[in-house]
Amino acid sequence: MTARPWPVILLPGGVLPAGPAYAALLAELGADVDARPKELEVYAGEAPPPGFSLADEAAGIARVADEAGFERFHLVGYSGGGASSLAFAADQPDRLLSLALMEPAFAGWQEITEAERSHLERFRPLVDMDGPELFATFQALQLAPGVEPPAPPPGPPPPWMAKRPAGIRAFLNAFLASDLDLSALRRFDRPVWFALGGRSNPDYYALMAARLARVFPDFTVELFPDRHHFDPPHRIEPARVAESLRSLWSRADGDAQSIGFR
């Protein structure tokens, strides 16, 4: 009997679309993964939906899973997609076999340390910024001190970049005006994997990982010492990430079979 492919939904961050964001990783994962890279709902129209929230992204994940015929599935999310994945795990935990987070942009305000809260508050002025100032500040706040942001690619910006300033501001407004139900995540008993870049801002992502480690019952952090938020491991070290995800999914499937999920 041939094992059925792993059902997987992958969410990108708030800048690079899902296709280029996950092309290298999908090539490493191979044909036994039924992967559905999903664009963020914030970019579904010409402008973000009125009153945009992470609930919009969670609803979009459910829609794509239904269209794919995924009753339960493995969810992978990076940055804004990681924040959306956490919101989905809090709202519809029974649909997930596992959760893979790659530096999610937001994990709520509950049980936050003063250092992490102070750093998140530094994003508040960005909601009134635009253009180069917005992108420069957005990048700098996510990198460790002394780490230079990557140079922009040569040539004119791709057409999809026109939507990014409004999308970034919509995500930031959603983060600043909402929270995440950590009590719901404490009841999430599926395996959770967190990829952490060693050159990302530690007051943002390392403190977040430490906080989530106190929340999820089954939580693993994997450090990628040479990576940061804008050269993330799924793009730069896809073979290693693919191996880690396969290990996560294999263990999750074994756990799920033992409790009758599959």
Side-chain angles (χ1 to χ4, degrees):
M1 180 178 177
T2 303
R4 66 182 183 181
W6 277 307
V8 180
I9 294 176
L10 305 100
L11 275 70
V15 179
L16 197 63
Y22 285 115
L25 178 60
L26 292 178
E28 293 289 344
L29 287 173
D32 61 341
V33 177
D34 187 356
R36 308 298 172 104
K38 181 198 173 302
E39 301 298 348
L40 296 174
E41 295 296 307
V42 75
Y43 297 127
E46 290 305 309
F52 170 78
S53 73
L54 291 178
D56 295 307
E57 296 293 347
I61 295 169
R63 184 191 70 247
V64 168
D66 291 342
E67 292 170 352
F70 295 167
E71 180 181 359
R72 294 185 177 89
F73 56 96
H74 304 280
L75 183 57
V76 179
Y78 159 72
S79 195
S84 305
S85 299
L86 280 167
F88 186 86
D91 183 56
Q92 300 189 51
D94 291 343
R95 295 204 68 174
L96 293 184
L97 292 165
S98 72
L99 179 62
L101 303 168
M102 296 180 287
E103 296 191 340
F106 180 67
W109 298 90
Q110 296 177 22
E111 302 181 21
I112 198 168
T113 63
E114 186 55 39
E116 188 183 353
R117 177 183 294 277
S118 176
H119 190 75
L120 278 177
E121 287 290 346
R122 295 175 67 192
F123 283 88
R124 196 175 292 274
L126 274 68
V127 301
D128 297 316
M129 295 182 186
D130 201 358
E133 181 187 25
L134 170 62
F135 282 106
T137 309
F138 178 73
Q139 288 185 321
L141 287 174
Q142 300 184 68
L143 300 174
V147 175
E148 292 294 323
W160 47 260
M161 274 297 292
K163 294 183 179 182
R164 268 41 189 182
I168 290 171
R169 289 193 297 269
F171 263 115
L172 290 175
N173 277 316
F175 300 160
L176 294 168
S178 66
D179 206 347
L180 188 64
D181 185 359
L182 293 192
S183 63
L185 296 181
R186 280 197 167 86
R187 298 190 293 272
F188 185 80
D189 61 356
R190 314 304 301 135
V192 180
W193 176 80
F194 190 111
L196 177 63
R199 302 174 72 218
S200 296
N201 194 299
D203 286 344
Y204 193 178
Y205 296 114
L207 291 180
M208 178 193 293
R211 180 162 55 100
L212 291 177
R214 299 190 294 269
V215 172
F216 286 109
D218 186 345
F219 186 83
T220 301
V221 176
E222 184 170 352
L223 178 65
F224 293 78
D226 298 327
R227 302 278 67 81
H228 62 62
H229 197 72
F230 298 104
D231 68 346
H234 60 282
R235 297 209 313 262
I236 311 302
E237 300 182 46
R240 178 178 167 187
V241 172
E243 182 180 1
S244 295
L245 289 176
R246 284 179 165 277
S247 176
L248 174 74
W249 299 338
S250 294
R251 185 164 68 85
D253 284 357
D255 292 347
Q257 288 174 353
S258 70
I259 59 176
F261 271 12
R262 295 183 61 144

